[in-house]
Amino acid sequence: MKAEIISVGTELLLGHTVNTDAAYVARELSALGIDLLFSCTVGDNPARLREALQTAFARSDLVITTGGLGPTGDDLTKETVAQAAGVELVRDPASAARIEEYFRGRECGPSQYKQADLPRGCTVLQNDAGTAPGCVFESRQGVLVLMLPGPPSELLPMLHHYAAPFLAARTGGVIASRMVRVFGIGEGSAAERLADLLESSNPTAATYAKENEMFIRVTAKAETPAAASALCEPMVAEICRRLDEAVYIVNEDGTSDSCLEQVVVQALAARGMTLATAESCTGGLLAKRITDVPGSSEVFHMGAVTYANEVKTRLLGVPAELFDTVGAVSPEVARAMAEGVRQAAGAGLGIGITGIAGPGGGSAEKPVGLVYVALSDGKAVWVRRMNPAGRIRSRAALRDRAASVALDMARRRLGGLTQPEAEAFALV
Amino acid sequence: MKAEIISVGTELLLGHTVNTDAAYVARELSALGIDLLFSCTVGDNPARLREALQTAFARSDLVITTGGLGPTGDDLTKETVAQAAGVELVRDPASAARIEEYFRGRECGPSQYKQADLPRGCTVLQNDAGTAPGCVFESRQGVLVLMLPGPPSELLPMLHHYAAPFLAARTGGVIASRMVRVFGIGEGSAAERLADLLESSNPTAATYAKENEMFIRVTAKAETPAAASALCEPMVAEICRRLDEAVYIVNEDGTSDSCLEQVVVQALAARGMTLATAESCTGGLLAKRITDVPGSSEVFHMGAVTYANEVKTRLLGVPAELFDTVGAVSPEVARAMAEGVRQAAGAGLGIGITGIAGPGGGSAEKPVGLVYVALSDGKAVWVRRMNPAGRIRSRAALRDRAASVALDMARRRLGGLTQPEAEAFALV
């Protein structure tokens, strides 16, 4: 099935709004095994929408519009689509009743009821977050047409709860996917180790990389969800075997965001342990990422952002003489920060980060990008030196990478794994 | 001039990447007074790109492609565009030299040099953030064609520094723009106060709003940069007069990100003052945003993330009895945190934030979204209560809003402005 998206909205062509809708729909189609070949955007302009629809009806089996279903004069998608598809709009009583209910006690003009006018014989897709229903129907040209509302808060639930199941049934099969999330191994290196698996066709496996993150998505198609899942499992197991400790989680679906911090918070909670952080160059970013996770307050009681050396000494007990002998950016200070904050917080684990995030402050001996990350569990402390010659250049990327390295060290300690590239010291 | 964007990239059609490039280009075209009528996305597929190009060449005066300029086998934009436009690709020696320089000391295969192959006679657009140059040229059909790289970190500087000035010259004039950045006033309210100004045609003024931020962009077109700037100035002055203290900065161009934190860091540095932060529900986000600003180490020596009450007492001196009497989420605790961290750090200003970021932890009396933000200067402390009935719903948005409110309070104190919606208390 060849699909095409037509996004409708002048705000998209003025750049006021980024077209996230198209990405959401694209992701859903991909998971359903439907090929999306074109995605087009037009303004709230019937003539240009008509032109886009004519092109789409001639080359695609499924045309999905987003936007233009609302009550205002600009909202012309349904009228234009109905005309191009050769169908008539008729008022859907159930949708009209929902609109009336929505406005109970408030004024509800005739333009609101316009939203209940839908192509005759269509399948109505309920809008759980607004007033404009969506719909799906077959055009006179034999093309399946799906109309979705523009606001993402309305589009997303309609897409997941009503449109995707409808399409899955139509494509005669269901999709299951898994995300294998990995830290501490590059995309190239992962692709090398998985080369033969990446050639597979059902299930498929593909690597994805962002600046500080990598994952492998495994997708299988079968007649039932259970059968599709069963196809994924051996592939996931083999990937986990080959990438071993670098795998930090396998997600059941492809929609969740990166979650090294979630894995750490869950591992801490499972063990009844707490973590404390002392940050210099990351400036609170590590604490922020940990506390992004709902419920983190149970396992994270204290974080310190200690830019000034004097504060490192007073708050964390970092020996003041270290700043003169080895300097603030040193493995010794990172270790003292990690163990110092652990003790100050009475926590099970302590993390210390010190480095030069740039753009200023670097020297030949200690260049921008040099960061030491230390993890202490009260018995031992591990220190990792981040390579200043690496390819990460911006202040933001460097800080994010340092926070990720710290989280990965905590994950490895909590999981009883090795600490690659880290030097270990026993604490007395 | 009628323009059309063609975004090239299979990752866009799989939904792995949201098409921010198209929005950036759209915004720039809008500021230049160029009408964008269509925006299309195709995968890394020469046949479908050719189809899109043929359609675009037939109906548009300016066609802008994004993506597919890199060294890999998937990067087919230039070859396909050149063929459709009836021009030949030839190696640009200056671009080849830049690529060689970029890879100095590392391996640089022939596929890297492919990036220097550009349409004969084109204007080369230098890539300041990567290896693939862009270009602009006229097709055999008489259409102006602009090719830009896909990664936003490469596209944005090329767009602003090279492509936009080229287009401005072509459209018979140059553009100057100013961004008036505003905090603490809604888009609707700003639009009301500026209603007559928003009708103006040269300069134009337009309001933009994101979740926690708002700005007004003023754009003027004239024959010289100085004349365009001169057209902007009275409009900017009038906007500043009407929005008054809510304006926190006027940017000279439209490219910088929100910078409440930059304004605060600069104001602190200008006054030789320092700031310290104590965060509960924002969990380090405020410290992170402050330390996002290069050079912030001069004015920010200490931040504390104190989730546990016991840590609030020990580190910040918050009286333990407050937790039993008024509770951790209270104006009293916010005040004690602000003044406590100010004293602990020996700083001029102290900020305390305590609240319920959700999704759990709320109650009828203290619902999710209730946040107290306090600012102390050692003589007085101001406390602002954030409205839990507001429209901000997600944990992330709520935390970001609280951090912004704190920064705005610091900005106002540093600028000798009022503290709207805040209650003031004298410190003994």
Side-chain angles (χ1 to χ4, degrees):
Chain A
M1 187 181 263
K2 289 186 287 183
E4 175 157 3
I5 297 172
I6 301 177
S7 304
V8 185
T10 300
E11 74 283 4
L12 297 167
L13 291 183
L14 291 173
H16 298 162
T17 306
V18 175
N19 196 352
T20 47
D21 283 352
Y24 296 140
V25 173
R27 234 171 279 170
E28 203 64 40
L29 293 175
S30 163
L32 288 164
I34 297 173
D35 291 323
L36 176 64
L37 302 188
F38 295 95
S39 174
C40 298
T41 304
V42 294
D44 299 312
N45 176 296
R48 285 191 285 274
L49 174 55
R50 200 171 304 124
E51 183 180 335
L53 286 165
Q54 274 158 6
T55 307
F57 286 165
R59 68 186 174 191
S60 301
D61 309 310
L62 167 64
V63 174
I64 301 172
T65 68
T66 67
L69 303 187
T72 77
D74 282 352
D75 292 310
L76 295 158
T77 301
K78 275 186 309 187
E79 292 78 350
T80 313
V81 168
Q83 202 184 32
V87 299
E88 193 191 1
L89 292 181
V90 292
R91 182 144 305 175
D92 174 50
S95 297
R98 281 180 60 86
I99 290 165
E100 193 164 335
E101 173 63 27
Y102 188 89
F103 281 94
R104 180 185 295 257
R106 290 177 293 164
E107 201 185 343
C108 174
S111 66
Q112 294 294 346
Y113 287 106
K114 194 188 83 167
Q115 301 174 90
D117 294 343
L118 297 168
R120 189 184 291 281
C122 73
T123 301
V124 180
L125 306 178
Q126 185 172 306
N127 189 331
D128 292 335
T131 49
C135 67
V136 54
F137 68 99
E138 194 160 308
S139 83
R140 204 179 45 192
Q141 299 89 343
V143 173
L144 196 61
V145 182
L146 169 61
M147 291 195 266
L148 297 170
S153 61
E154 302 180 18
L155 175 132
L156 272 175
M158 193 183 291
L159 182 63
H160 292 310
H161 299 145
Y162 306 116
F166 182 96
L167 293 174
R170 273 294 181 112
T171 57
V174 292
I175 289 288
S177 69
R178 302 284 184 274
M179 305 278 266
V180 183
R181 295 190 177 270
V182 167
F183 189 81
I185 180 171
E187 190 183 15
S189 164
E192 235 167 70
R193 292 198 217 174
L194 306 176
D196 55 320
L197 304 180
L198 300 179
E199 307 270 302
S200 161
S201 65
N202 192 23
T204 59
T207 62
Y208 297 88
K210 293 186 186 169
E211 192 141 32
N212 277 329
E213 156 186 27
M214 211 201 79
F215 58 89
I216 298 108
R217 185 171 182 166
V218 175
T219 306
K221 195 169 182 176
E223 287 197 5
T224 65
S229 283
L231 276 173
C232 289
E233 295 314 335
M235 172 75 92
V236 168
E238 180 60 18
I239 292 170
C240 291
R241 195 188 66 75
R242 295 197 195 173
L243 302 184
D244 198 27
E245 292 188 351
V247 175
Y248 68 83
I249 199 167
V250 178
N251 284 332
E252 289 292 302
D253 66 58
T255 61
S256 2
D257 275 339
S258 167
C259 55
L260 208 41
E261 45 269 44
Q262 282 171 22
V263 170
V264 168
V265 167
Q266 280 160 13
L268 287 164
R271 283 159 189 75
M273 279 178 81
T274 62
L275 167 71
T277 58
E279 304 177 63
S280 187
C281 64
T282 47
L285 172 60
L286 175 59
K288 184 258 174 201
R289 284 181 54 181
I290 293 168
T291 61
D292 278 342
V293 183
S296 50
S297 53
E298 299 300 316
V299 300
F300 182 73
H301 296 167
M302 173 182 167
V305 181
T306 54
Y307 259 35
N309 291 343
E310 181 270 321
V311 178
K312 290 188 185 82
T313 300
R314 187 155 41 84
L315 221 62
L316 309 172
V318 176
E321 61 271 21
L322 285 180
F323 302 119
D324 296 324
T325 53
V326 290
V329 179
S330 61
E332 291 81 356
V333 167
R335 282 160 53 184
M337 286 170 73
E339 176 58 12
V341 79
R342 193 194 67 77
Q343 286 184 19
L349 296 180
I351 289 173
I353 304 180
T354 180
I356 301 159
S363 66
E365 202 188 339
K366 295 188 176 179
V368 168
L370 177 66
V371 179
Y372 293 97
V373 182
L375 172 78
S376 172
D377 66 4
K379 294 191 194 109
V381 57
W382 294 265
V383 185
R384 221 182 119 165
R385 180 179 185 276
M386 282 175 59
N387 182 3
R391 288 182 56 207
I392 299 174
R393 295 205 187 100
S394 79
R395 179 178 172 90
L398 201 129
R399 281 158 45 104
D400 203 46
R401 174 87 190 162
S404 292
V405 164
L407 289 167
D408 193 55
M409 290 174 75
R411 166 186 79 91
R412 287 171 171 275
R413 169 60 186 76
L414 289 162
L417 309 178
T418 62
Q419 296 284 356
E421 299 178 50
E423 207 176 345
F425 304 85
L427 288 169
V428 280
Chain B
M1 187 180 261
K2 289 186 287 183
E4 175 157 1
I5 298 172
I6 301 177
S7 305
V8 185
T10 300
E11 73 283 4
L12 297 167
L13 291 183
L14 291 173
H16 298 158
T17 307
V18 175
N19 195 351
T20 47
D21 283 353
Y24 296 141
V25 173
R27 235 170 278 170
E28 203 64 39
L29 293 175
S30 164
L32 288 164
I34 296 172
D35 290 323
L36 176 65
L37 301 189
F38 295 95
S39 175
C40 297
T41 304
V42 295
D44 300 311
N45 177 296
R48 285 192 285 274
L49 173 55
R50 200 171 304 125
E51 183 180 335
L53 286 166
Q54 276 159 5
T55 306
F57 285 166
R59 68 185 173 191
S60 301
D61 309 309
L62 167 64
V63 174
I64 301 172
T65 67
T66 67
L69 304 187
T72 76
D74 282 351
D75 292 311
L76 294 160
T77 300
K78 275 186 309 187
E79 291 79 349
T80 312
V81 168
Q83 203 185 31
V87 299
E88 194 191 1
L89 291 181
V90 292
R91 182 145 304 178
D92 174 50
S95 298
R98 281 181 59 84
I99 289 165
E100 193 164 334
E101 172 64 27
Y102 187 90
F103 281 94
R104 182 184 294 258
R106 288 177 291 162
E107 199 184 344
C108 175
S111 65
Q112 294 294 345
Y113 286 107
K114 195 189 82 167
Q115 300 175 91
D117 294 343
L118 297 168
R120 188 184 291 282
C122 73
T123 301
V124 180
L125 307 178
Q126 185 172 306
N127 189 333
D128 292 334
T131 49
C135 67
V136 53
F137 68 100
E138 194 160 307
S139 82
R140 204 178 45 191
Q141 299 88 342
V143 172
L144 196 62
V145 182
L146 168 61
M147 290 195 266
L148 297 171
S153 61
E154 302 180 18
L155 174 133
L156 272 176
M158 191 183 291
L159 181 64
H160 292 310
H161 300 145
Y162 306 116
F166 182 96
L167 293 174
R170 272 295 179 112
T171 56
V174 294
I175 289 287
S177 69
R178 301 284 184 277
M179 304 277 266
V180 182
R181 293 190 177 271
V182 166
F183 189 82
I185 182 171
E187 189 182 16
S189 165
E192 233 168 72
R193 292 197 217 174
L194 306 176
D196 55 319
L197 304 180
L198 301 178
E199 306 271 301
S200 161
S201 64
N202 191 24
T204 59
T207 61
Y208 296 86
K210 294 184 187 170
E211 192 141 33
N212 277 330
E213 155 185 27
M214 210 201 81
F215 57 88
I216 298 107
R217 185 170 183 167
V218 175
T219 307
K221 195 169 182 178
E223 287 195 6
T224 65
S229 282
L231 276 173
C232 288
E233 294 314 335
M235 171 75 92
V236 168
E238 180 60 18
I239 292 170
C240 291
R241 194 187 66 76
R242 295 197 196 174
L243 302 184
D244 198 29
E245 292 189 350
V247 175
Y248 68 85
I249 199 167
V250 177
N251 285 332
E252 289 293 301
D253 67 57
T255 62
S256 4
D257 273 339
S258 169
C259 55
L260 210 40
E261 44 269 45
Q262 283 170 22
V263 170
V264 169
V265 167
Q266 281 159 13
L268 286 164
R271 283 160 191 75
M273 279 178 81
T274 61
L275 168 70
T277 58
E279 304 177 64
S280 186
C281 64
T282 48
L285 172 62
L286 175 59
K288 183 259 173 198
R289 284 181 54 182
I290 293 168
T291 61
D292 277 343
V293 182
S296 49
S297 53
E298 298 301 315
V299 299
F300 182 74
H301 297 168
M302 173 180 166
V305 181
T306 54
Y307 258 36
N309 292 343
E310 181 270 322
V311 179
K312 291 188 184 84
T313 300
R314 189 155 41 85
L315 221 62
L316 309 172
V318 176
E321 61 270 21
L322 284 181
F323 302 118
D324 296 325
T325 54
V326 292
V329 179
S330 61
E332 291 81 356
V333 168
R335 283 158 55 184
M337 287 170 71
E339 176 58 11
V341 78
R342 194 193 67 78
Q343 287 185 17
L349 296 181
I351 289 173
I353 303 180
T354 178
I356 300 158
S363 66
E365 205 188 337
K366 296 188 176 179
V368 168
L370 178 66
V371 179
Y372 293 97
V373 182
L375 172 77
S376 173
D377 65 6
K379 293 189 195 109
V381 57
W382 294 265
V383 185
R384 221 181 120 166
R385 180 178 186 277
M386 282 175 58
N387 182 4
R391 288 179 55 207
I392 300 174
R393 290 201 193 104
S394 80
R395 180 177 171 92
L398 202 131
R399 279 157 47 105
D400 203 46
R401 174 86 190 165
S404 292
V405 164
L407 289 166
D408 193 55
M409 290 173 75
R411 165 184 81 90
R412 288 172 170 274
R413 168 61 186 75
L414 290 162
L417 308 177
T418 62
Q419 296 284 355
E421 299 178 49
E423 207 176 346
F425 303 85
L427 287 170
V428 280

